[in-house]
């Protein structure tokens, strides 16, 4: 599935055991947007999707983050909380990376095996 998103905004839809959760989403698909990511921010309202990407770092970040690695079908293959100043190892099957403030992904139901959907951004 070759996805062609543009930088912008949309919604992340997570369907879990507790129901459906819609989360505000920022898309970073250009090289420039992916490179900047969450740098220089004190927080994020919702999540950011980096695409394509298979790893991230938290150097020069101001807050810890939750990171979910997604495969080509937007299925979660790994979820980690990263402190500031860390380098995440690349995930072999990861094609996209979802970032959010530390601790929020569990509340949304983002865990290994869950498939998410991106709406409103094509």
């Amino acid at each position: 599935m070759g996805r062609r998103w543009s930088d912008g905004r949309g919604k992340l839809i997570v369907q879990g055991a507790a129901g459906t959760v819609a989360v505000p989403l920022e898309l970073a698909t250009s090289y420039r947007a992916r490179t900047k990511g969450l740098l220089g921010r004190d927080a994020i309202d919702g999540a950011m999707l980096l695409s394509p990407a298979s790893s991230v770092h938290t150097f020069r970040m101001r807050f810890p983050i939750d990171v979910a690695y997604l495969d080509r079908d937007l299925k979660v293959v790994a979820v980690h909380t990263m402190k500031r100043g860390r380098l995440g190892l690349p995930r072999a099957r990861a094609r996209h990376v979802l970032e959010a403030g530390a601790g929020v992904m569990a509340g949304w139901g983002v865990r290994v095996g869950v498939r998410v959907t991106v709406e409103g951004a094509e």
Side-chain angles (χ1 to χ4, degrees):
M1 285 185 170
R3 289 183 165 68
R4 294 284 179 210
W5 292 310
S6 301
D7 291 345
R9 298 188 178 274
K11 284 186 185 177
L12 177 73
I13 308 298
V14 183
Q15 294 187 3
T20 302
V21 177
V23 178
L25 182 67
E26 295 180 42
L27 287 111
T29 60
S30 68
Y31 176 78
R32 184 176 186 155
R34 288 192 317 269
T35 302
K36 183 174 183 207
L38 296 175
L39 295 176
R41 297 186 187 195
D42 294 321
I44 181 170
D45 178 30
M48 177 176 279
L49 181 69
L50 305 168
S51 179
S54 62
S55 68
V56 296
H57 68 83
T58 58
F59 299 120
R60 298 183 357 198
M61 296 226 8
R62 296 180 181 171
F63 58 99
I65 59 173
D66 280 349
V67 178
Y69 298 89
L70 311 174
D71 68 9
R72 69 180 74 243
D73 298 321
L74 301 181
K75 184 176 175 183
V76 179
V77 296
V79 180
H80 295 285
T81 299
M82 292 179 65
K83 295 179 182 177
R84 297 172 41 200
R86 302 290 195 259
L87 178 63
L89 297 174
R91 302 288 166 175
R93 294 183 313 159
R95 298 294 180 267
H96 318 280
V97 176
L98 187 64
E99 298 179 335
V104 300
M105 285 193 188
W108 297 339
V110 175
R111 60 185 51 86
V112 174
V114 169
R115 188 170 178 196
V116 299
T117 307
V118 174
E119 288 185 357
E122 292 299 325

